[in-house]
Amino acid sequence: MRAEVDSELPGGIARFGEVVDGDDASDAHLDLLEVVKRGHVHIIDAMADVFHRATDWEILNDERIFRITWDDGAVSEYEWEAMRRACPCAYCAGEGAFAGSVNTETKFSEEQTTLKTVYPVGRYGLTPEWGDGHDTGIYTFKMLRRAAGLP
């Protein structure tokens, strides 16, 4: 799967090069903020089509399942406790020398594994809010697709 994504990336970078002229002083130091402010939004579209995006999602309270429908029609389901255990935030998963507070031995309360709502994060991921108020994990679309066994 990684090889498939990696093989698409050079095409996206080439398209970026077609739109931005590195020799032109006005384009030489483009960052994302400048891209949006100066109307180069089509660059984002060209680069973003390398990855799949969620088109819809729903919280199934009775089953304690989070369901995502993807832009290619695939549907993924995630159990709440497994999702909470996989939280990628620095507190849960760790960062740098900090190991994080969640591991295979971690016991969660029902409140900690109750999914309240889910917010989109840009065009690349989702942030769930859990019953205990925890809401700092950004689950990228790439991470969620891999967890579901999808390319």
Side-chain angles (χ1 to χ4, degrees):
M1 177 174 59
R2 180 177 167 90
E4 183 179 319
V5 171
D6 288 347
S7 69
E8 293 178 17
L9 198 53
I13 292 169
R15 287 192 299 271
F16 182 78
E18 292 168 12
V19 179
V20 176
D21 179 2
D23 294 329
D24 179 346
S26 64
D27 284 349
H29 301 289
L30 275 181
D31 65 14
L32 184 58
L33 184 58
E34 290 177 60
V35 166
V36 173
K37 281 184 177 177
R38 292 187 39 214
H40 291 289
V41 174
H42 55 283
I43 295 170
I44 296 169
D45 289 332
M47 295 301 291
D49 60 344
V50 172
F51 305 102
H52 289 284
R53 290 187 210 101
T55 57
D56 194 23
W57 55 85
E58 61 184 316
I59 297 170
L60 305 174
N61 290 308
D62 293 340
E63 296 90 359
R64 296 179 63 83
I65 296 285
F66 179 60
R67 179 181 294 152
I68 296 177
T69 303
W70 298 96
D71 57 4
D72 63 354
V75 175
S76 304
E77 292 186 342
Y78 309 87
E79 294 179 0
W80 290 357
E81 183 167 343
M83 219 177 137
R84 176 66 191 259
R85 188 169 300 283
C87 179
C89 81
Y91 179 76
C92 293
E95 185 175 54
F98 176 67
S101 63
V102 176
N103 58 47
T104 57
E105 307 302 315
T106 303
K107 303 286 187 225
F108 290 109
S109 68
E110 185 171 340
E111 183 181 44
Q112 290 174 305
T113 61
T114 298
L115 189 55
K116 288 175 52 179
T117 191
V118 177
Y119 304 100
V121 179
R123 295 172 53 146
Y124 67 94
L126 302 170
T127 290
E129 181 182 338
W130 299 98
D132 65 346
H134 184 72
D135 66 352
T136 57
I138 299 174
Y139 295 67
T140 65
F141 293 147
K142 187 174 183 178
M143 172 190 172
L144 289 165
R145 291 223 12 136
R146 281 187 175 160
L150 298 170

